[in-house]
Amino acid sequence: MKPQWQKVYDALASDIGAGIYSPGERLPSEHDLSASLGVSRNTVRRAFLSLSQDGFIRIVNGRGSYVTPHGVTYEIDATSRFRQTLESLGIKRDQTVIENTVVAADGDVAAALGLSPGDDAVRHVSVIWGDGTPFLLSRRYFPASLVPHLAEEIAREHSFTRVLQLHNLGDLHRDTTTVSTRLPDQEEARLLSCPLNAPVLEVLALGRLADGRIAEWQNALMPGSLVRLTFKSASQAL
């Protein structure tokens, strides 16, 4: 015999799969479901936790549980951007900037950007949302010497790409991309609204300008249940 929470899990997973609950839709509350299904709130809570761990829903403290979108494929080439992928799928994109400051480049950041340890770099941390779901936690670093008052310009233009255009520096091209998986730490899980035991994709990318200068080093995290990555070869990208 299946435990009660498993029956609730199966029923909700089936409803999500059948489209009864749409991506981004808020599920009924634990109180409402326990009343309608004739089970305890602890039973519903256990089912919700398992659905969250399996990527069906995301639980937002104080707001409820929401169906997570699935099937977003991010096709990576030299110039692709994740925001373009969301927009092409008709997913409403938003961004929350967490940090945009000048910092002293530590060993890893300095090595990636070709700086000396202690040189100024701009650290830009943000979360990209799609239809109210956090898809990507981005930590980006730029050489502060690239443009005078770079941090202020990024804050004003809301886009590093736009700053490059304004200073006639051309487009940013992805030079290298490294993908791995790991578990998020507590702060990463909070920002991405994902469980601590749900793997995330970690993408490290180095960006250069047309003249060869390194302009960006990025560490991006994406919930593995939400995003698939594909890569174009150089010949396909032409």
Side-chain angles (χ1 to χ4, degrees), residues 97 100 124 147-160 162-164 166-167:
V97 176
N100 182 55
H124 187 87
V147 169
H149 310 295
L150 179 57
E152 291 88 341
E153 292 226 22
I154 292 173
R156 184 177 64 250
E157 300 298 331
H158 307 291
S159 167
F160 179 61
R162 176 62 178 158
V163 172
L164 294 179
L166 289 174
H167 289 268

Side-chain angles (χ1 to χ4, degrees), residues 181-200:
T181 60
R182 64 173 175 84
L183 296 178
D185 63 28
Q186 189 166 2
E187 178 64 5
E188 292 165 346
R190 183 185 71 82
L191 291 171
L192 289 171
S193 296
C194 67
L196 285 167
N197 62 350
V200 293

Side-chain angles (χ1 to χ4, degrees), residues 85-237:
T85 295
L86 294 180
E87 290 166 358
S88 70
L89 294 171
I91 297 174
K92 183 180 179 181
R93 182 186 66 86
D94 199 0
Q95 177 176 289
T96 301
V97 176
I98 298 169
E99 182 182 348
N100 182 55
T101 57
V102 177
V103 299
D106 63 16
D108 290 342
V109 173
L113 294 177
L115 303 175
S116 297
D119 283 354
D120 285 346
V122 174
R123 173 181 162 92
H124 187 87
V125 182
S126 65
V127 175
I128 293 179
W129 302 71
D131 285 342
T133 295
F135 273 87
L136 186 148
L137 169 60
S138 172
R139 303 181 182 98
R140 304 166 72 190
Y141 295 87
F142 316 106
S145 60
L146 190 65
V147 169
H149 310 295
L150 179 57
E152 291 88 341
E153 292 226 22
I154 292 173
R156 184 177 64 250
E157 300 298 331
H158 307 291
S159 167
F160 179 61
T161 300
R162 176 62 178 158
V163 172
L164 294 179
Q165 293 171 346
L166 289 174
H167 289 268
N168 298 313
L169 292 174
D171 293 328
L172 186 69
H173 293 265
R174 186 176 286 103
D175 186 59
T176 61
T177 303
T178 303
V179 181
S180 59
T181 60
R182 64 173 175 84
L183 296 178
D185 63 28
Q186 189 166 2
E187 178 64 5
E188 292 165 346
R190 183 185 71 82
L191 291 171
L192 289 171
S193 296
C194 67
L196 285 167
N197 62 350
V200 293
L201 300 174
E202 182 171 44
V203 181
L204 304 179
L206 188 69
R208 293 183 185 269
L209 301 176
D211 61 12
R213 282 183 292 170
I214 297 173
E216 177 192 72
W217 183 69
Q218 181 180 28
N219 178 315
L221 295 182
M222 299 174 241
S225 62
L226 297 184
V227 182
R228 295 185 298 268
L229 302 178
T230 63
F231 294 84
K232 281 187 177 181
S233 66
S235 60
Q236 289 176 313

